[in-house]
Amino acid sequence: MSNLATATRFEFQKDRVLRAAARCFNQKGFSGTSLKDVANELGLTDPALYHYVRNKEELVYLCYVRAADLGREAMDMAIKKGGSGFDVVVNYLTYHVEMMVGERGPIAIMSEIPSLNPEHREEILEVSREHSRRFEELLQAGIDDGSVATCNVRMTGNAIMGAMNWIPKWYRGDAGTAREMIEQYPATLVRGLAAG
Amino acid sequence: MSNLATATRFEFQKDRVLRAAARCFNQKGFSGTSLKDVANELGLTDPALYHYVRNKEELVYLCYVRAADLGREAMDMAIKKGGSGFDVVVNYLTYHVEMMVGERGPIAIMSEIPSLNPEHREEILEVSREHSRRFEELLQAGIDDGSVATCNVRMTGNAIMGAMNWIPKWYRGDAGTAREMIEQYPATLVRGLAAG
DNA sequence: AATAAATTTGAATTATGATTAAAATAATTT
DNA sequence: AAATTATTTTAATCATAATTCAAATTTATT
């Protein structure tokens, strides 16, 4: 196998590890999840995970980096697709929900940032703040172009992000609900946000 | 001190323990929080907590029972106050937010039910489901009396509850934000829910 | 097929933090 | 003020799960 292919396989396996970890962390929390839990989910034993991450803390950290990347990707796609400010908001939420309930999921909710070491914590807090900031910008852009009703963007942003972040707590991966989620959840979140 | 007064003092102290624990659990999760963390918050050492609870698991369990009680209390108050279905929904959310950011807070988010032992888990899941069910009933009552716009009550309920549950993750107890929260958050959550 | 590299394991080791027990202190009652 | 009870502490103990390490196995390369 070539170096490239080796790297690819390694990265692929690592991504499986991160998704399995995300699933566990979302349900039982960082410290409530043992490495054995994560390994079992993949048919491995715990020491095998150390081939992919330095330690448990790094595992969460990487889950959060991945979560941040996917969130940013969803937002970038929505922005690139264009449309009114309102459209961009709805599209972003839809892409993000699709990722959460689709085959790229689950995505770790960043609910235990305090468990990270100081450097990682600061980095994740930063990207997390950045994401909130950008979302509020989207809302503001919508207000400015007249597609979104005037509102407190900070409050509205927190409310919508909270509703998004809570999804992994109750969504249990059945296909029927997944479709329903994608079709209805974003619309539910922005009901009342349309101007006029 | 009389038996009654003794019981009262004990119960009062126990409630302080539960609030301190809720604050810790909300930030660092069940297993991420050591009993030492909780004790320190009260100027005590960890073994002192065993005077109030049997073990750590019971501590979370009681936090969740307390959270459920307060949520139910907020809902009961709103129902008793009356008004249109829409009014009851808004009032319930307002009372609940007031509790969260007021002196009875913080309230533990039930984010780690899987960490409970089977009996406690089943009990908490039950009251939790019951609360969601009742909230959906409030929404449905509002739709029926024409004060709430037609919507998928399951989705809407999940969205609003998610936004509520996420509050403790970002709210950091400053008075200014508390007032803003009480005044604006419930309104933000139901914007677009008003019929007509 | 032989060799090398990557991956996984089983068997220790270690660290952390929950729990227990006995003693000390503080509060309450008589 | 003595006796009793409630509360808290200090100093162990115990359990769990993270981590390490050497060996085994599997996969890729020649």
Side-chain angles (χ1 to χ4, degrees):
Chain A
M1 187 181 265
S2 73
N3 282 339
L4 178 61
T6 302
T8 299
R9 182 182 189 287
F10 179 84
E11 290 303 329
F12 175 75
Q13 285 294 85
K14 188 168 178 176
D15 198 65
R16 283 187 66 214
V17 169
L18 296 186
R19 293 206 309 283
R23 182 171 6 257
C24 293
F25 291 145
N26 284 348
Q27 309 221 197
K28 304 199 266 187
F30 169 52
S31 323
T33 299
S34 71
L35 291 182
K36 202 166 178 224
D37 293 334
V38 179
N40 282 167
E41 190 114 348
L42 297 163
L44 293 174
T45 60
D46 21 342
L49 301 181
Y50 286 84
H51 193 252
Y52 298 98
V53 295
R54 189 182 307 282
N55 53 38
K56 190 179 176 185
E57 192 272 344
E58 186 180 80
L59 180 57
V60 204
Y61 165 67
L62 291 176
C63 282
Y64 287 3
V65 168
R66 184 173 185 278
D69 286 345
L70 294 181
R72 186 170 32 243
E73 185 182 327
M75 195 177 280
D76 288 344
M77 281 170 60
I79 290 171
K80 175 173 279 186
K81 180 166 187 189
S84 70
F86 181 83
D87 292 339
V88 174
V89 168
V90 176
N91 287 333
Y92 152 58
L93 295 174
T94 304
Y95 292 146
H96 207 162
V97 170
E98 275 172 354
M99 285 176 181
M100 283 181 177
V101 304
E103 75 288 339
R104 294 179 79 182
I107 295 176
I109 20 180
M110 298 188 201
S111 59
E112 299 200 50
I113 295 178
S115 299
L116 296 173
N117 73 37
E119 292 76 29
H120 288 164
R121 176 162 59 239
E122 199 37 60
E123 180 188 332
I124 295 298
L125 274 177
E126 179 52 31
V127 297
S128 177
R129 276 191 289 260
E130 172 72 1
H131 189 73
S132 297
R133 198 186 56 67
R134 288 183 75 203
F135 184 62
E136 288 171 19
E137 260 177 28
L138 295 188
L139 290 172
Q140 189 57 54
I143 294 172
D144 293 344
D145 74 15
S147 62
V148 169
T150 305
C151 65
N152 181 326
V153 295
R154 171 64 49 84
M155 285 291 156
T156 305
N158 278 145
I160 293 180
M161 284 299 134
M164 289 290 284
N165 288 327
W166 200 251
I167 292 176
K169 284 291 177 192
W170 53 270
Y171 173 69
R172 285 291 164 275
D174 63 295
T177 308
R179 190 179 355 276
E180 201 183 3
M181 285 291 298
I182 295 169
E183 283 167 7
Q184 306 202 344
Y185 208 74
T188 300
L189 293 181
V190 299
R191 165 183 294 132
L193 222 54
Chain B
M1 187 181 266
S2 74
N3 282 337
L4 177 60
T6 301
T8 299
R9 183 184 189 285
F10 179 84
E11 290 303 329
F12 175 75
Q13 285 293 86
K14 187 167 178 176
D15 198 65
R16 283 188 66 216
V17 169
L18 295 186
R19 292 207 309 283
R23 182 170 8 256
C24 293
F25 291 145
N26 284 348
Q27 309 220 199
K28 305 199 266 188
F30 169 52
S31 323
T33 300
S34 70
L35 290 182
K36 202 167 179 219
D37 293 335
V38 178
N40 283 168
E41 189 113 349
L42 297 164
L44 293 174
T45 59
D46 21 342
L49 301 181
Y50 287 84
H51 193 252
Y52 299 98
V53 295
R54 188 182 308 282
N55 53 39
K56 191 179 177 186
E57 191 273 341
E58 186 181 80
L59 180 57
V60 204
Y61 165 67
L62 291 177
C63 282
Y64 287 3
V65 168
R66 184 172 184 278
D69 286 344
L70 294 181
R72 185 172 30 244
E73 184 182 327
M75 195 176 280
D76 288 344
M77 281 169 62
I79 291 171
K80 176 174 279 186
K81 180 166 186 189
S84 70
F86 181 83
D87 291 339
V88 174
V89 168
V90 176
N91 287 333
Y92 153 58
L93 294 174
T94 304
Y95 293 146
H96 207 163
V97 170
E98 275 172 354
M99 286 177 181
M100 283 181 176
V101 304
E103 73 289 339
R104 293 179 78 182
I107 295 176
I109 21 179
M110 296 187 202
S111 59
E112 300 200 51
I113 295 178
S115 299
L116 297 173
N117 73 37
E119 292 76 28
H120 289 164
R121 175 162 60 239
E122 198 38 59
E123 180 188 332
I124 295 297
L125 272 177
E126 179 52 32
V127 296
S128 176
R129 275 191 291 259
E130 172 72 1
H131 189 73
S132 298
R133 199 185 56 67
R134 288 184 75 203
F135 184 62
E136 288 170 18
E137 259 177 28
L138 295 189
L139 290 173
Q140 189 57 54
I143 294 172
D144 293 343
D145 74 16
S147 61
V148 169
T150 306
C151 65
N152 180 327
V153 294
R154 171 64 48 84
M155 285 288 157
T156 305
N158 278 145
I160 293 180
M161 284 299 132
M164 290 290 285
N165 288 328
W166 200 250
I167 291 176
K169 284 289 177 195
W170 54 270
Y171 173 69
R172 285 292 164 274
D174 64 295
T177 308
R179 190 178 357 275
E180 202 184 3
M181 286 291 298
I182 296 169
E183 283 167 8
Q184 307 201 344
Y185 209 74
T188 299
L189 293 182
V190 300
R191 166 182 293 131
L193 222 54

